[in-house]
């Protein structure tokens, strides 16, 4: 198929059969395109099917119908051109931190010497602040550290498409900020195309070119793609002063609080505004997001 | 691991239990004046009685009754069955007197701990002597058994691990082969033995086959289970890295399944050791099983007890060796 889009998703649907029940349609007829080098964040309520979409893009899951196309070719299976940060870290527990990264780098560059592989892997571990933990096994690490190893592994692959499933979920604000900056730096250099799932509205604004908003499942859709008009390079401390920041932010929060439910056509009473993920940052901090959203709309 | 207070305490308690055990053993077996004497027979004496057609049960019964070899020989010469002797009024009616305590070879029914320890010391001090088919050192007998176990168990490993891999990876194979496994698994080694002897003819190879056929199942099932339950996430990593078939098997599935495989090996080596002792009692000739049987035939209860103890210790050592491998591949998820 001829297209100028690097990633093209058309009428993608995914159903899971359920025992003794009608099959679960996670998302239905989802379509979107991603330009080469674009940074996309995907936001939606828990269970709406974000991970499932990402798994289809990663080639780990087959769609029930529709097509996902990467660089002009249908995604038939997983591969090295798509680096994945899994939601649950997925490190090999019998390998040390360094060996976990080296394993991936070695698969990516079979022609490299062991020294080269080690050096490259070490560089990315330094980047996520884990140089000191290279020789530890995953079970000796905290949740956030494990997540950072997964991030280092995916970054080190330097694949054209980088898929990340809530990669910074388990990190404290400070580490998260540092790694977000590293990610922007790497992305600026490598011009990778990034598809990232997050629950953090501010993170999405800081990082993305566009933000995909998903309605609640079942039969979820990508309802909108919000352009983030704030110019780059962006700094965490500075973007909040940009005149568009709160317009965008309020729009996103409003979507999560009320419109994601309305648009999903889901049965009344199933999802309420209080279902807003508890880790969604609220700004100003003492304003209830539900009230905030109402004020804006 | 350095010995902590915990280990010291459990070691003390274990010693206490051992002390109590030895004391009770001693209290029950210490010779008393009224005890009947039981005479010890040498290999040749047993062979002579066998030649005269005296059944083993009869021999043991008369020995228990306190007769010595001379008297047993006379009884055997008479060619009476035990019933006939009983009907005639017992051995006393034939003029046999029970020997009293006090002679050199005399011992009580069950050896005391001291007797067992001194016999054990003698056996362990010279484990490799070889005075013909019925008189070999315990070390030699042990070597025979260990050789059979090594061959049978090694064969089981060679067959079970690749086959378990295939069954773990393919639903088709596991479902097709499981019924056979389920039926063959519960068959006792003693049931296999005659069939093996009939088809293979050679006693040595039969015993190796029986070890193989009994120890292969736990290993096969554990390998299959370990391979089939490798976490999907880990396989997903391999798939995103475009690993080839062999890399996937060697770098992800094998290390992930290894602890389960080793658990299977532990069960299998334990079964092998159980089976070989039983098998050697049947086929005879050499090995720990035959040794125990032979000592029982000669009513050498003390060396029999030593042999039983050695069987236990060696079984523990085998388990411990596999444990080393298990420790090397263990991971915390
Ligand atoms: N293998 C599966 N079999 C059956 N149902 C599944 C399977 N995987 C996901 N689902 C269902 O699909 C829906 C979407 O799941 P998914 O993991 O994509 O959600 P998500 O948007 O990533 O949520 P979260 O933000 O909590 O990670 C859920 O209702 C889930 O129960
Ligand atoms: Mg998810």
């Amino acid at each position: 198929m001829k297209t100028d889009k690097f990633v093209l998703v058309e009428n993608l649907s995914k159903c899971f059969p359920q025992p003794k029940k009608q099959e679960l349609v996670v998302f239905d007829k989802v379509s979107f395109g991603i330009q080469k080098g674009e940074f996309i964040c995907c936001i939606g309520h828990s269970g709406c099917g974000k991970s499932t979409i990402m798994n289809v893009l990663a080639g780990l899951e087959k769609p029930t119908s529709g097509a996902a196309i990467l660089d002009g070719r249908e995604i038939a299976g997983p591969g090295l051109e798509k680096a994945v940060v899994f939601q649950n870290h997925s490190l090999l527990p019998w390998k040390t931190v360094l060996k976990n990264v080296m394993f991936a780098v070695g698969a990516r560059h079979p022609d490299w010497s062991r020294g080269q592989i080690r050096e490259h892997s070490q560089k990315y571990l330094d980047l996520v602040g884990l140089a000191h933990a290279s020789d530890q096994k995953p079970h000796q690490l905290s949740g956030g550290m494990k997540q950072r190893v997964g991030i280092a592994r995916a970054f080190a692959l330097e694949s054209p498409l980088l898929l990340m499933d809530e990669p910074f979920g388990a990190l404290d604000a400070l580490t998260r900020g540092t790694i977000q900056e590293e990610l922007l730096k790497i992305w600026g250099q490598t011009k990778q195309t990034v598809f990232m799932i997050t629950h953090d509205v501010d993170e999405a604004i800081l990082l993305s070119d566009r933000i995909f908003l998903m309605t609640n499942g079942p039969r979820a859709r990508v309802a909108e793609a919000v352009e983030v008009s704030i110019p780059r390079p962006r700094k965490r401390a500075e973007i909040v002063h940009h005149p568009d920041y709160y317009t965008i932010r309020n729009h996103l929060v409003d979507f999560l609080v009320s419109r994601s439910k309305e648009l999903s056509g889901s049965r009344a009473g199933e999802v309420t505004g209080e279902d807003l993920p508890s880790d969604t940052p609220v700004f100003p901090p003492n304003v209830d997001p539900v009230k905030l959203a109402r004020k804006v709309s | 691991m350095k010995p902590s207070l915990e280990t010291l305490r459990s070691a003390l308690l274990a010693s206490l239990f051992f002390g109590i055990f030895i004391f009770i053993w001693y209290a029950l077996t210490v010779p008393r004046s009224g005890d009947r004497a039981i005479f010890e027979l040498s290999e040749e004496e047993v062979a002579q009685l066998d030649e005269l057609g005296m059944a083993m049960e009869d021999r043991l019964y008369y020995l228990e009754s306190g007769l010595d070899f001379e008297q047993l020989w006379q009884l055997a010469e008479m060619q009476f069955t035990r019933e006939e002797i009983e009907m005639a009024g017992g051995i006393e009616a034939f003029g046999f007197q029970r020997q009293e305590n006090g002679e050199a070879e005399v011992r009580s029914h069950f050896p005391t701990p001291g007797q067992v320890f001194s016999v054990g010391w003698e056996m362990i001090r010279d484990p490799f002597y070889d005075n013909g088919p019925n008189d070999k050192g315990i070390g030699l007998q042990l070597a025979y058994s260990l050789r059979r176990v090594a061959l049978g168990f090694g064969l089981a490993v060679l067959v079970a691990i690749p086959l378990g891999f295939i069954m773990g990876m393919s639903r088709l194979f596991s479902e097709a082969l499981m019924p056979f496994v389920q039926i063959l698994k519960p068959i006792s080694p003693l049931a296999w033995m005659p069939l093996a002897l009939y088809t293979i003819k050679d006693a040595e190879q039969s015993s190796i086959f029986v070890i193989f056929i009994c120890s292969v199942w736990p290993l096969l099932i554990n390998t299959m289970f370990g391979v089939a339950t490798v976490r999907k996430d880990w396989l997903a990593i391999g798939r995103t890295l475009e690993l080839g078939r062999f890399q996937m098997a060697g770098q992800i599935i094998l290390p992930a399944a290894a602890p389960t495989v080793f658990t299977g090996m532990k069960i299998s080596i334990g079964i092998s050791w159980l089976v070989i002792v039983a098998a050697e009692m049947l086929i005879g000739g050499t090995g720990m099983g035959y040794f125990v049987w032979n000592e029982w035939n000669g009513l050498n209860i003390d060396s029999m007890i030593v042999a039983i103890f050695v069987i236990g210790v060696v079984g523990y050592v085998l388990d411990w060796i596999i444990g080393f491998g298990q420790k090397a591949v263990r991971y915390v998820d």
Side-chain angles (χ1 to χ4, degrees), chain A residues 33-48:
Chain A
I34 303 175
Q35 302 279 5
K36 194 162 179 64
E38 221 179 347
F39 199 124
I40 300 292
C41 275
C42 182
I43 290 186
H45 281 291
S46 180
C48 72

Side-chain angles (χ1 to χ4, degrees), chain A residues 120-158:
Chain A
H120 185 84
S121 310
Q122 196 76 61
K123 185 177 96 190
Y124 280 95
L125 280 176
D126 289 349
L127 220 65
V128 295
L130 281 180
H132 62 283
S134 319
D135 294 325
Q136 282 179 307
K137 294 273 177 72
H139 72 96
Q140 296 167 300
L141 306 182
S142 72
M145 288 164 89
K146 279 185 221 167
Q147 220 166 14
R148 273 141 73 195
V149 181
I151 294 165
R153 180 175 62 188
F155 284 4
L157 285 174
E158 299 175 332

